[in-house]
Amino acid sequence: MGNSRTLSRRSFLIRGAAVGGTALLGGCDQLSQSPSFREFLERAEGLIQRAQRLVLSQRSLAREFTEADISKHFKANGSTGVDDPQYQRAAANGFADWKLTIDGLVDRPTELTLAELRAMPSRTQITRHDCVEGWSAIGKWKGAQMAPLLQSVGLKPEARYLVFHCADKLSAFSNYYESIDLTDAFHPQTILAYEMNGAPLPVPHGAPARLRVERQIGYKQAKYVQRIEVVASYKMIGDGRGGFWEDRGYEWYAGI
Ligand SMILES: Nc1nc2c(c(=O)[nH]1)N[C@H]1C(S)=C(S)[C@@H](COP(=O)(O)O)O[C@H]1N2
Ligand SMILES: [Mo]
């Protein structure tokens, strides 16, 4: 019984993804061939419903701007560098030895070099960043789309959230971290950005790679990402509220 319903939901999801851009459509064609992703779609009822809602409407994309709108000055906020000597050595070497870890509830835990990340399907977008402290800036971001990245490692059925572990400590004790759900993870504008305004991502803005999850507020845009951990729940991480600022009272869902 559920089969035809599931099938039509799946094709809905795949067709609907075209709204977000042709790159994702190509990715989804491949995704639909992959048994683990099919299984994942079939099990993740809630995800599919939310994904449909997202992909059915252009309104679900964060607004994009033109080159002329790019801010002359884009404030760097929070950490503007990383104290860790290992990070500093990597930075001095143009991040040639840097690696991004993707692990947790995945079929194939993976380490990617910056060159490998740059070789993944990418998206470029000019968007407005809004910080809760009351400033905004428009920037152009290029990065690896999260959906094909996740497809390449394969999600286990229990996967529900991505946790972004960052290299910087904003307090003496805790590294910065953030989390998003799979709805945001598979959104076409969700990228791991390695370029800002046409140049390699500068250190103050999170080099070599930072999250852009465009329908969310500033503190969700994790900089200095070194590990993406796929989890069923973020309760065991940090103080259990899903992010550095969430642990200090901010809302987990900061969507706009
Ligand atoms: N790793 C890390 N990510 C972070 C922060 C931080 O301090 N450390 N600050 C957050 C906040 S509050 C904002 S507004 C943006 C600032 O990004 P920007 O420096 O590129 O303007 O990064 C977010 N991501
Ligand atoms: Mo912010």
Side-chain angles (χ1 to χ4, degrees), residues 16-123:
V19 173
T22 49
L24 187 68
L25 182 64
C28 275
D29 270 332
Q30 284 165 9
L31 286 181
S32 66
Q33 306 302 317
S34 139
S36 64
F37 188 73
R38 257 201 323 265
E39 203 172 88
F40 163 73
L41 283 184
E42 281 162 11
R43 293 193 204 187
E45 285 279 297
L47 166 66
I48 291 170
Q49 281 164 14
R50 281 172 287 147
Q52 277 183 1
R53 199 187 64 219
L54 280 173
V55 297
L56 280 175
S57 160
Q58 271 295 121
R59 280 176 307 168
S60 68
L61 292 180
R63 181 172 168 200
E64 295 192 9
F65 297 80
T66 69
E67 300 269 343
D69 299 316
I70 294 174
S71 300
K72 303 252 176 318
H73 178 69
F74 196 120
K75 182 183 159 92
N77 203 36
S79 298
T80 52
V82 179
D83 284 339
D84 177 41
Q86 206 183 326
Y87 174 91
Q88 290 178 352
R89 273 196 302 277
N93 196 19
F95 297 102
D97 308 322
W98 176 89
K99 285 205 175 75
L100 170 75
T101 301
I102 309 180
D103 63 2
L105 297 173
V106 300
D107 296 326
R108 292 171 293 281
T110 302
E111 285 195 333
L112 289 172
T113 64
L114 190 52
E116 288 166 338
L117 190 64
R118 286 176 163 273
M120 294 295 293
S122 71
R123 191 175 198 279

Side-chain angles (χ1 to χ4, degrees), residues 77-78 129-135 176 217-220 245 250:
N77 203 36
H129 175 105
D130 298 302
C131 173
V132 285
E133 290 170 6
W135 57 274
Y176 201 91
I217 203 104
Y219 58 86
K220 300 296 277 191
W245 285 115
Y250 286 39

Side-chain angles (χ1 to χ4, degrees), residues 135-150:
W135 57 274
S136 297
I138 293 173
K140 177 168 150 181
W141 307 98
K142 179 181 181 187
Q145 271 188 317
M146 201 59 69
L149 259 186
L150 295 176

